[in-house]
Amino acid sequence: MSTTHNPYAPNPSDFISNVPRFEIIDSTLREGEQFANAFFTLENKIRIAKALDDFGVDYIELTSPVASDQAREEVETICKLGLKNSKILTHIRCHMHDAKIAVETGVDGVNVFIGTSNFLRQHSHGKDMSFITKSAIEVIEFVKSKGLEIRFSTEDSFRSDIVDLLNIYTTVDKIGVNRIGIADTVGGANPRQVYELIRTIKSSVKCEIETHFHNDTGCAIANAYTALEAGAKFIDTCILGIGERNGIVPLGGFMARMVVSAPDYVKSKYKLNKIRELENLIAEIVQVNIPFNNPITGFCAFTHKAGIHAKAILANPSTYEILNPTDFGLTRYIHFANRLTGWNAIKARVEQLNLNLTDDQIKIVTQQIKKMGDIRPLGIEDVDSIIKDFHSKENEIVLDDELSSNKRQRVD
Amino acid sequence: MSTTHNPYAPNPSDFISNVPRFEIIDSTLREGEQFANAFFTLENKIRIAKALDDFGVDYIELTSPVASDQAREEVETICKLGLKNSKILTHIRCHMHDAKIAVETGVDGVNVFIGTSNFLRQHSHGKDMSFITKSAIEVIEFVKSKGLEIRFSTEDSFRSDIVDLLNIYTTVDKIGVNRIGIADTVGGANPRQVYELIRTIKSSVKCEIETHFHNDTGCAIANAYTALEAGAKFIDTCILGIGERNGIVPLGGFMARMVVSAPDYVKSKYKLNKIRELENLIAEIVQVNIPFNNPITGFCAFTHKAGIHAKAILANPSTYEILNPTDFGLTRYIHFANRLTGWNAIKARVEQLNLNLTDDQIKIVTQQIKKMGDIRPLGIEDVDSIIKDFHSKENEIVLDDELSSNKRQRVD
C-alpha cells in the first residue's frame, strides 16, 4: 500500500458523490434554539453568527421571524451584520403568511418545510398531499419572485410514502426550487437506507439536495456522510449538535468525519482550529459540558494509554491516529502513568526528563511503575519520582563503582 | 403505509443480515480500561461484570492477564463469579506466551489480535505476514486444544491489504477459529466501506464475524449496524463507549439503534431499563459526566421544545419519537417554558394544573408567555404563575360579570 493512498477517501465507484464538495448549513441559531437549554439573547446570537462566519460555514439558518416579535428583530439584525462567508437563511412553515414576513427580513434565502409522513399529516397539520403540493407551489413561486433562494423540505421523510415524496419533489423541482430537503426528523434512519432514498430522489430531480439528520440512534454523522455519497450536497449541522431531543449532526464531529475523507477540501475551506472555540462558546451559552467523548475536542480524543498503542504512536502517530491533532490546534498526549503502560512510553518520558537510562534500565523501572499502578491510580508526578529515584540510585551505583575502581587504581 | 410497518426494520434484500440476531461482546473491562480516566479496582471490576451480566450482554471481555500480576488475579476472580448470562473472554496478543497464561485463568474463550496494516507491521511489532500466519496457527490450535472458544482479529483492518486479510482469515477459518475479528482501530471507516469489506470477507469464511469500531469520526454505532447488515454477528461495545482516545461503540447508543430496527429481539433479550444504572455506574467510577446529548440517557433525549413538536407529541408521541422512553424506564418531557412554545403545550400544562380555560383563553396566555420568553429565560414556575395569574383575572371578570348580572337581576 502506497503511503499516499487514503483508504478512507471517497468511494471511486460513486460518480455522484459530493464528499469532496459538500456545503454546510449550520442551524445552531434555529434547530439549536430548540435545544432544551438554549435561550439565546440577541447579543449571543450575534457572537454565534460571527463565529460561524469566521469558521467558514456556507449558510447560517435562523429561527422563523414568525416565532415572536423578538425573533423577527433578531433575523433582521443578523442580516445586517455583513458576514463574509455565510449566507443567511430562515426556516419557516410552508405558509404564505410566514413567507411574506420572511422575505422582508433581508435574508438570502428561505427554508420551508412541511410534514409529509402519515404521522405528521394526521397529528400535526392535518393536511393531505394535494393541499401540501398547492401550498408548496404558491410559497415557492412567491419567494422566487422576490429573488431569494428557496429550499423545500419534507419533515420525517423516511417515514413518508416514497410515491408522495417523489411526486412533491419532482413538482417543486420543476418550479425551480434551489434545494430540496430530506429530513430524518425522528433520528431513526440508518446509512444504507439513507443512501438508497437519496440516490433514488437524486435521479429524479435537477436541483441540489440538503439533508437534516437527528441523532436519536447515534447515526447522524454517518448518515450525513452517506447522504453525500448518494449525491446530497448540503448538510445541516449545529455546534455540539444541539437541537430538539439529543440534537442533530454536530459540526465538530462532522468535520472529523470529512477531514479524514476529503482532507484538502476541508482544510482549505474551513478553519478547523476554531472548532474548540466554537464549541466552548456554545457550551458556555447553553450551560452544558463538552462531552468527554466528543470527537476532536473531548478531553481524551488524542490521549493514548495502552503500552502497545503508545509504543507505535511514538514511532509514527498515523499508527493509531486518523486525525492529526495539530490540524485542530490541539496536541497529542501519551498517557504513561498507569499499569497498562509499556517501556516505550516510559522511555519517551525519561527522554523528556533529560535523564540517561539504558533500554534495559528503562524496562526495569517500567516494571516498578506497573507494580505501583496495580496498587493505586498514578499521577505523572508519581511516575516521574519513581523514574528519578531509580535514576539517582543507578547513578549512585555507578558512582560507587567509579569510586571503588578509583580506590583500586590508587591501591594498585 | 400500515401502522405496523417499520421503515427502520432490517433491509428485506439483505439475506445475510444479522440485525435481528446480533450478540454483544462488552469490552468495558478491557478496551474501557484503556480509557484515559479508567482505574478499575477489583471491587469495581466485579460490580461492572455483575451489572453487565444482569443487563444481559453475551460476552464480557477482560484485559490480558499478562498486563500485570493484578490483571491476572482479576481475570481469575471474575471467572469464578458464576455469571448467568455472560461468557468471559480475555484479549491477548497473538503470542504463545500470552496464550499459555490465558488458558489457565478459567475464561470461556480467548480473543487474540495482531496488527496487519503496513503502519502497524512497520511501527508496532515489525513482523511480516508469513510470521503472523505462523503465530496465528500455533496459538489457535493451542487454545482449541484446551476446549476454549477462540477469536482471531486483525488490528487496523481497514488500512490492511485486502489480499493479506483474505489470506489470513481463510487460513484461520480452516483451522476452525470460532470468530474472526475486524477492527477499525483508528476510527476512520465509513458505513458503506464497512459493508463492502465485511460482505467480501463473509463470503470467504464459514466462521462468525466480530467487529470493533472506534469512534474518532463519530461513525462507530452506524458502522456496527452496517456490519450486521453485511453478515457480522458480534459487536464490541463499552458502557458509555469508553476506550482508547474517544472510545468505541457505546452500549447504550447501540441499544438505541438496535431497538428501533429489531424491537422484539432487543426487548426480549436485554434489560433496557438498566442502561441508565450501567451508565451512571461507569460515569461515577471513571469520573465523567453522562454527555448531555447521549442517546437515551442524555438529559434532553426525550425533551420536546418547539411548539410544532409539542403539539404533535401531545397528539401522538410517535410523531417526533422513534424511541419510547418507557422502554428504558424513563419519561418524556414537553418543554413549554420558552418563547418557542405553542398553545397546545400550554394547554397540556393548564390541564396538568387542573385549571379551566377555553382554547381562546389559552391562545391569549400563550402569547403572554412567548412575550415574556423574548425578554428572559423562563422557568416552569414563571409559566405557571403567568397561567395562574391569567386564570384568576379571567375568573374575577366572570365573577364581576355574575355579580353585575345579579345586581341587574335585583334591580330588575
Side-chain angles (χ1 to χ4, degrees), chain B residues 107-392:
Chain B
V107 292
D108 300 296
V110 175
N111 271 359
V112 305
F113 70 98
I114 191 160
T116 44
S117 74
N118 260 358
F119 288 98
L120 293 179
R121 279 156 57 192
Q122 274 178 43
H123 302 290
S124 181
H125 51 71
K127 310 291 194 257
D128 66 14
M129 285 307 294
S130 69
F131 181 91
I132 290 172
T133 309
K134 198 165 152 289
S135 314
I137 296 173
E138 190 182 6
V139 169
I140 292 164
E141 290 187 334
F142 171 72
V143 174
K144 276 178 62 82
S145 76
K146 300 291 178 179
L148 301 186
E149 280 191 28
I150 173 94
R151 178 212 73 185
F152 175 84
S153 180
T154 62
E155 261 189 298
D156 204 7
S157 317
F158 290 86
R159 294 193 299 180
S160 299
D161 187 291
I162 181 71
V163 179
D164 287 346
L165 288 183
L166 287 172
N167 266 331
I168 188 117
Y169 286 135
T170 53
T171 303
V172 298
D173 184 46
K174 276 180 207 133
I175 309 169
V177 83
N178 298 84
R179 302 184 300 280
I180 53 171
I182 295 169
D184 181 24
T185 305
V186 296
N190 64 65
R192 288 175 64 242
Q193 180 184 24
V194 168
Y195 187 81
E196 288 178 24
L197 183 65
I198 305 261
R199 199 185 47 179
T200 302
I201 293 170
K202 179 74 181 170
S203 66
S204 310
V205 297
K206 295 184 305 296
C207 64
E208 297 290 357
I209 296 178
E210 172 181 341
T211 64
H212 185 83
F213 291 108
H214 276 265
N215 206 19
D216 300 73
T217 61
C219 294
I221 294 172
N223 284 341
Y225 183 81
T226 312
L228 294 175
E229 292 186 307
K233 181 159 182 181
F234 297 85
I235 303 293
D236 290 3
T237 65
C238 286
I239 302 168
L240 286 176
I242 60 169
E244 284 282 351
R245 306 186 308 282
N246 78 333
I248 68 161
V249 178
L251 179 62
F254 181 60
M255 288 294 95
R257 171 68 261 163
M258 298 317 296
V259 76
V260 167
S261 298
D264 298 338
Y265 177 76
V266 171
K267 288 186 206 174
S268 65
K269 189 167 177 196
Y270 303 108
K271 286 192 192 162
L272 299 183
N273 61 356
K274 297 284 183 182
I275 289 175
R276 183 141 72 166
E277 259 174 67
L278 276 176
E279 294 189 345
N280 285 344
L281 174 65
I282 289 295
E284 178 207 319
I285 292 174
V286 304
Q287 297 182 297
V288 298
N289 294 307
I290 306 284
F292 76 90
N293 54 2
N294 212 40
I296 301 171
T297 58
F299 81 95
C300 50
F302 297 106
T303 297
H304 304 271
K305 184 167 172 187
I308 197 170
H309 286 219
K311 174 188 174 186
I313 279 280
L314 288 163
N316 177 354
S318 294
T319 47
Y320 286 101
E321 266 175 10
I322 194 67
L323 299 170
N324 182 349
T326 59
D327 283 343
F328 309 97
L330 302 172
T331 51
R332 172 180 306 118
Y333 178 60
I334 311 286
H335 193 311
F336 55 87
N338 66 80
R339 63 171 163 184
L340 301 180
T341 197
W343 74 272
N344 290 276
I346 298 301
K347 183 178 180 179
R349 186 61 184 171
V350 168
E351 285 164 4
Q352 282 172 352
L353 294 173
N354 262 323
L355 300 176
N356 265 321
L357 288 175
T358 65
D359 285 358
D360 283 343
Q361 287 175 320
I362 288 168
K363 284 176 186 171
I364 295 167
V365 76
T366 301
Q367 285 311 312
Q368 294 179 4
I369 292 163
K370 287 169 80 77
K371 271 223 170 72
M372 186 63 80
D374 263 350
I375 299 165
R376 63 177 177 81
L378 297 178
I380 295 175
E381 309 73 22
D382 296 320
V383 172
D384 286 356
S385 72
I386 294 173
I387 293 173
K388 286 174 184 163
D389 203 44
F390 180 86
H391 180 262
S392 62

Side-chain angles (χ1 to χ4, degrees), chain A residues 36 44 61-63 67-69 216 225 233 236 256 263 266 279 286 297 372 379 388 410:
Chain A
N44 280 338
E61 185 182 67
L62 304 177
T63 293
S68 73
D69 295 342
D216 299 72
Y225 183 80
K233 181 160 182 181
D236 291 2
V266 170
E279 294 189 344
V286 306
T297 58
M372 185 64 77
K388 285 174 185 164
R410 270 180 298 206

Side-chain angles (χ1 to χ4, degrees), chain A residues 1 7-8 14 33 35 38-39 68 70 155 159 188-189 192-193 244 257 305-306 318-320 339 373-374, chain B residues 1 7-8 14 33 35 38-39 68 70 155 159 188-189 192-193 244 257 305-306 318-320 339 373-374:
Chain A
M1 184 170 57
Y8 303 118
D14 288 343
E33 196 166 22
F35 174 60
F39 174 85
S68 73
Q70 181 70 20
E155 263 188 296
R159 294 194 299 181
R192 289 174 63 243
Q193 181 184 25
E244 285 280 352
R257 172 68 261 162
K305 184 166 171 186
S318 294
T319 47
Y320 286 100
R339 64 172 162 182
D374 263 351
Chain B
M1 186 169 58
Y8 302 118
D14 288 342
E33 195 167 23
F35 174 58
F39 175 86
S68 73
Q70 181 71 18
E155 261 189 298
R159 294 193 299 180
R192 288 175 64 242
Q193 180 184 24
E244 284 282 351
R257 171 68 261 163
K305 184 167 172 187
S318 294
T319 47
Y320 286 101
R339 63 171 163 184
D374 263 350

Side-chain angles (χ1 to χ4, degrees), chain A residues 25 61 91 110-116 140 150-158 160 165 168-169 172-173 177-185 197-198 201 205 207-213 232-236:
Chain A
I25 297 179
E61 185 182 67
H91 182 257
V110 176
N111 270 1
V112 306
F113 70 98
I114 192 159
T116 44
I140 291 165
I150 174 94
R151 178 212 73 185
F152 174 84
S153 181
T154 61
E155 263 188 296
D156 205 7
S157 318
F158 290 86
S160 299
L165 287 183
I168 188 116
Y169 285 136
V172 299
D173 184 47
V177 82
N178 297 85
R179 302 184 300 280
I180 53 172
I182 295 168
D184 181 24
T185 304
L197 183 65
I198 305 259
I201 293 170
V205 298
C207 64
E208 297 290 356
I209 297 178
E210 174 181 339
T211 63
H212 185 83
F213 291 107
K233 181 160 182 181
F234 297 87
I235 304 292
D236 291 2

Side-chain angles (χ1 to χ4, degrees), chain B residues 85-113:
Chain B
N85 299 307
S86 314
K87 293 189 198 173
I88 309 291
L89 305 172
T90 189
H91 183 257
I92 61 168
R93 292 172 298 184
C94 190
H95 284 176
M96 277 304 287
H97 168 257
D98 293 16
K100 283 178 183 162
I101 294 171
V103 298
E104 300 300 325
T105 55
V107 292
D108 300 296
V110 175
N111 271 359
V112 305
F113 70 98

